[in-house]
């Protein structure tokens, strides 16, 4: 009798401890040139380790074959560090979430294979995550228990990165719809390609941002695209920028050096105006006043200021993620995985990565 009671209470204790610990997800991200692993417990981030790849710098862009090799070298130490920093052991994990796509296939394969192997070794569920949804879900990461600044549904998310420029209608954690997107280059590409033309390093976005702070945004005017609906286009801007420089360099070979800061400020202003125009239209048409930004370009100071100014002027509520969660990271994969976990939305061991796919 006494033994049974003791056993019963031990069982309750063990379950209580489990519940108290919450759902612990290991996230793995390897879609492009950053290898990242993160651990979150419920919505709280316990670690977020990112290994950047410097091998691409000398090529002025990401070389896919080099990226996948670097992922192979990085993945084991990065996952190890993420668990260590979180103070979590492998057997405390509830599930493993990984980026299935879109991205570079060779890179995605490294994270996908690793996640499959580990989930089968630990006998825990595997969760495939869409990289674009993960960028949106970054808004639900908590850095501390008091943090409750997440957006309310439905909201619009402007996702701007090196590979994407989209306006996403977010209806719930697991229900999103792309209502507008670029028909050619992404906003980040426009930053990077134009930066390259004026002799800045790769990626040029952050450099343009830095120089633009000291320049006059109204000095030069570049053409803006005419695209239907909420779609974007940035390839015309790149060409217009290029021709403008070519014409001016004929007159003055030192034109770029003399005007670098004004060129950056004017270019940045044009990109931001294009982005904000469609976002404003979508917000008005749909009557959605809650707006979020995500992706690498949302680190841009000018864009952050423009969004805040817009919010004050038009009484919108805006959400800008913390700097560390704007670029590719595994914490956003883990949080997206967490909400799929709550939905019991798992995948099997035969799941394959995809290079291209919408949300
Ligand atoms: O989301 P992300 O890290 O990954 C890719 O999709 O590749 O975005 C990277 C992009 C690059 O094009 C980079 O130039 C741009 O984000 N970016 C910026 C800034 N920081 C990163 N663009 C403008 N201003 C910034 N401060």
């Amino acid at each position: 009798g006494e033994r049974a009671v003791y056993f019963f209470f031990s069982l309750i204790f063990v379950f209580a401890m489990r519940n108290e610990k919450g759902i612990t997800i290991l996230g793995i991200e390897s879609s492009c040139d950053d290898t990242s692993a993160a651990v979150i417990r419920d919505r709280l981030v316990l670690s977020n380790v990112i290994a950047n790849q410097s091998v691409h710098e000398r090529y002025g862009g990401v070389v896919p074959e080099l990226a996948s090799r670097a992922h192979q070298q990085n993945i084991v130490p990065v996952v190890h560090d993420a668990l260590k920093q979180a103070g979590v052991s492998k057997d405390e994990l509830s599930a493993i979430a990984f980026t299935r796509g879109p991205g570079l296939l060779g890179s995605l394969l490294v994270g996908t294979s690793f996640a499959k192997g580990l989930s089968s070794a630990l006998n825990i569920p595997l969760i495939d995550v869409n990289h674009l949804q993960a960028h949106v879900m970054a808004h639900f990461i908590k850095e501390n228990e008091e943090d409750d600044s997440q957006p309310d549904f439905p909201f619009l998310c402007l996702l701007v990165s090196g590979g994407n420029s989209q306006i996403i209608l977010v209806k719930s954690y697991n229900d999103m719809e792309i209502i507008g997107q670029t028909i050619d280059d992404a906003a980040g590409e426009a930053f990077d390609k134009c930066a390259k033309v004026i002799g800045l390093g790769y990626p040029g976005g952050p450099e343009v941002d830095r120089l633009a702070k000291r320049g006059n945004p109204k000095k030069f005017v570049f053409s803006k695209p005419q695209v239907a609906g909420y779609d974007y286009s940035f390839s015309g801007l790149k060409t217009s920028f290029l021709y403008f420089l070519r014409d001016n360099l004929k007159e003055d070979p030192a034109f770029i050096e003399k005007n670098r800061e004004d060129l950056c400020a004017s270019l940045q202003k044009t990109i931001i105006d294009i982005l904000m125009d469609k976002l404003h239209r979508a917000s008005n048409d749909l009557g959605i006043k809650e707006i979020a930004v995500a992706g690498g370009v949302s680190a841009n100071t000018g864009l952050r200021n423009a969004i805040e100014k817009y919010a004050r002027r038009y009484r919108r509520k805006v959400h800008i993620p913390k700097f560390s969660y704007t670029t590719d990271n595994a914490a956003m994969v883990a949080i997206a995985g967490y909400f799929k976990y709550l939905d019991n939305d798992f995948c099997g061991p035969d799941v394959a990565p995809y290079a291209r796919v919408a949300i």
Side-chain angles (χ1 to χ4, degrees):
E2 210 171 281
R3 271 192 128 181
V5 170
Y6 175 75
F7 179 72
F8 179 72
F9 278 107
S10 318
L11 214 64
I12 287 185
F13 179 73
V14 168
F15 270 99
M17 284 302 286
R18 274 202 152 184
N19 277 344
E20 199 185 305
K21 283 220 158 155
I23 296 160
T24 311
I25 310 274
L26 170 69
I28 292 174
E29 156 66 29
S30 72
S31 66
C32 190
D33 61 337
D34 295 309
T35 321
S36 179
V39 178
I40 64 157
R41 179 161 287 155
D42 295 331
R43 285 171 46 200
L44 194 66
V45 59
L46 303 182
S47 66
N48 186 31
V49 178
I50 304 173
N52 306 110
Q53 303 181 358
S54 53
V55 285
H56 310 288
E57 272 160 25
R58 51 191 285 219
Y59 301 100
V62 177
V63 184
E65 185 54 31
L66 295 180
S68 57
R69 284 186 207 183
H71 282 305
Q72 280 176 333
Q73 287 169 345
N74 292 341
I75 189 99
V76 172
V78 163
V79 170
H80 181 261
D81 285 358
L83 289 169
K84 199 168 155 201
Q85 282 182 26
V88 163
S89 72
K90 286 197 285 286
D91 35 76
E92 286 176 81
L93 295 174
S94 314
I96 298 177
F98 68 97
T99 304
R100 184 176 174 194
L104 300 170
L105 209 51
S107 292
L108 289 164
L109 267 169
V110 179
T112 306
S113 312
F114 187 88
K116 280 184 196 178
L118 193 58
S119 92
S120 114
L122 298 173
N123 199 20
I124 52 175
L126 188 61
I127 305 169
D128 61 319
V129 168
N130 179 306
H131 182 79
L132 305 175
Q133 283 197 2
H135 270 300
V136 176
M137 294 308 289
H139 288 279
F140 297 92
I141 296 170
K142 278 183 164 190
E143 277 202 322
N144 51 59
E145 286 295 356
E146 294 73 48
D147 182 0
D148 61 350
S149 55
Q150 80 271 12
D152 289 326
F153 301 112
F155 65 93
L156 292 176
C157 185
L158 175 69
L159 173 55
V160 271
S161 69
N164 295 282
S165 298
Q166 311 178 317
I167 299 177
I168 302 165
L169 169 59
V170 189
K171 298 172 209 168
S172 75
Y173 295 111
N174 297 324
D175 187 7
M176 309 181 189
E177 183 191 336
I178 297 171
I179 58 167
Q181 61 189 319
T182 182
I183 55 167
D184 41 56
D185 291 352
E189 259 177 294
F191 270 109
D192 296 342
K193 287 179 178 170
C194 293
K196 198 172 175 180
V197 182
I198 55 170
L200 305 179
Y202 179 84
E207 272 295 279
V208 172
D209 190 359
R210 192 177 62 80
L211 292 166
K213 287 185 184 133
R214 296 191 301 239
N216 174 6
K218 292 188 177 146
K219 178 87 173 275
F220 306 114
V221 177
F222 305 111
S223 66
K224 293 198 183 127
Q226 305 291 325
V227 201
Y230 309 126
D231 282 346
Y232 289 118
S233 164
F234 288 101
S235 70
L237 172 62
K238 185 183 65 193
T239 318
S240 141
F241 190 72
L242 200 64
Y243 287 172
F244 173 81
L245 289 176
R246 194 191 56 186
D247 293 345
N248 280 284
L249 283 170
K250 269 189 215 147
E251 313 262 305
D252 178 5
F255 181 77
I256 293 179
E257 279 130 72
K258 285 181 191 161
N259 295 287
R260 200 169 264 129
E261 291 166 358
D262 292 339
L263 282 166
C264 287
S266 304
L267 170 72
Q268 181 168 299
K269 181 183 185 307
T270 312
I271 296 175
I272 294 169
D273 285 351
I274 296 171
L275 290 173
M276 292 306 298
D277 175 49
K278 292 290 170 88
L279 186 61
H280 177 51
R281 262 194 242 178
S283 164
N284 259 357
D285 293 353
L286 302 174
I288 295 177
K289 293 187 158 45
E290 194 108 1
I291 290 172
V293 271
V297 182
S298 66
N300 185 268
T301 326
L303 181 61
R304 288 177 171 235
N305 292 340
I307 294 235
E308 269 159 11
K309 201 169 139 193
Y310 171 73
R312 283 194 299 273
R313 183 160 168 203
Y314 292 96
R315 294 175 189 276
R316 301 295 198 262
K317 190 162 178 217
V318 294
H319 303 269
I320 303 177
K322 284 197 195 71
F323 208 73
S324 41
Y325 305 122
T326 57
T327 49
D328 291 349
N329 67 86
M332 67 183 195
V333 177
I335 189 87
Y338 168 75
F339 286 105
K340 287 187 88 169
Y341 184 96
L342 295 183
D343 274 2
N344 280 318
D345 189 355
F346 306 123
C347 68
D350 52 349
V351 64
Y354 43 66
R356 292 185 171 275
V357 79
I359 265 177

